[in-house]
Amino acid sequence: VLFEVLRTLNSFHPAIILELCQSKDSTRNPLLTIPRFATSTNPNLKYLGISMLCQVNPDAWSDAWWTEDLLGAVVGALESRDAAIQRRALDLLYRMLTLENAQNIIDRLVYAFFQEHDDFCLQDVQQGASHQLGSASSMRKNEKYYQQYQQQQQHVSSSSFTSRKEKILGQILDAAERFGPSEEWYLNLIFDLLARGGTTITLQTAEKVMGVLERGKSPGFDNSRLPILAGRQAMGLLVQEDYNLSSALGSTATRRQPALAYFVFWGLGEFGDKLAIATEEENEFELTSVLEALARCLLVNQDPLIQSFVLSALTKLSVKTLPNPIPTNITNVVRQQCQQNNTTMLSATSLATIEVQQRAAEFLMIADLAVS
């Protein structure tokens, strides 16, 4: 009953709850009931308490009811054996983000992301509904409530839900951009997610991060330095991986998603000409070194999708070299790749191979213009 009352109050204008919370008569504050639920050892009551907290506008949080015991209960809920309680606690922690606690909370979100299976929020909603049914049935078992629950379940089953893992990933990306402690920390996190995030990591995920570097408006970062660090880290990754960023690294290896290669080669194409601005702590990469690294990637990676990423980066950088000619060894590698693809196309033609040929032709056209 208290849960439904709070949810109803919260559906009204936020000023209503704020006024009740600020009343001199503390008995009128509906939020004072929450700690009794959230700190309960009963999992059903704990779930209801944390769910209440998730619905409260952060403007209404105050020391009058938000105590250390309550915070401890929320943190402790992360270790609960009940997955629904864990997930509600994670959602709540995300809403509690500040500059002071961001790194700790993001670390917890990242841990939860890698532990989460690629299932859907349907299970979470069903578990949450069963908690509500269980706690209500302990007080009042009636046919009407059960029928309402059944109708809710039918509605849930017929709806589509975002993957729980996708939701956590979105929270991580948003929190890291707004509260990341440093550019290096942010990029280390991004490269780790792109490399190990599994099927949840898509090309759209990489594009979200690209948008952060392109906009250059992140409040916590030196936005002129962030792209350069990203390019240098991309070069370091290529050396570390022997220039092989193909999705399939072998029959026994974990399949890598193409989003990592997409981001790496996009970054080198966009910022590869700026990596020679060296500091005492960082190694410089001349433009020629970046071009040679990309040419080597073209030889090592046989995946047409990866090759198209590489050729896009080469084309962008070749435009930036004008009017200077592109090194002959680079153009020779691209011509060699074109000849191999022409041979392949005689036996089997794919859209990916055609895409590679088109991008190679664009690069060679720019190279010829530079010579002429």
Side-chain angles (χ1 to χ4, degrees), residues 307-320:
Q307 289 182 343
S308 66
F309 295 156
V310 175
L311 286 167
S312 291
L314 279 170
T315 301
K316 289 179 182 178
L317 289 180
S318 64
V319 172
K320 296 176 182 180

Side-chain angles (χ1 to χ4, degrees), residues 3 18 49 83 132 167 172 207 232 260 290 338 359:
F3 176 82
L18 289 176
Q132 294 181 33
K167 181 179 179 181
I172 293 171
E207 288 173 350
R232 287 180 174 145
L260 176 64
V290 179
C338 278
R359 298 193 181 190

Side-chain angles (χ1 to χ4, degrees), residues 323-340:
N324 298 321
I326 300 170
T328 305
N329 60 328
I330 307 298
T331 57
N332 288 340
V333 169
V334 177
R335 292 185 195 281
Q336 175 186 341
Q337 193 62 46
C338 278
Q339 293 174 356
Q340 291 179 355

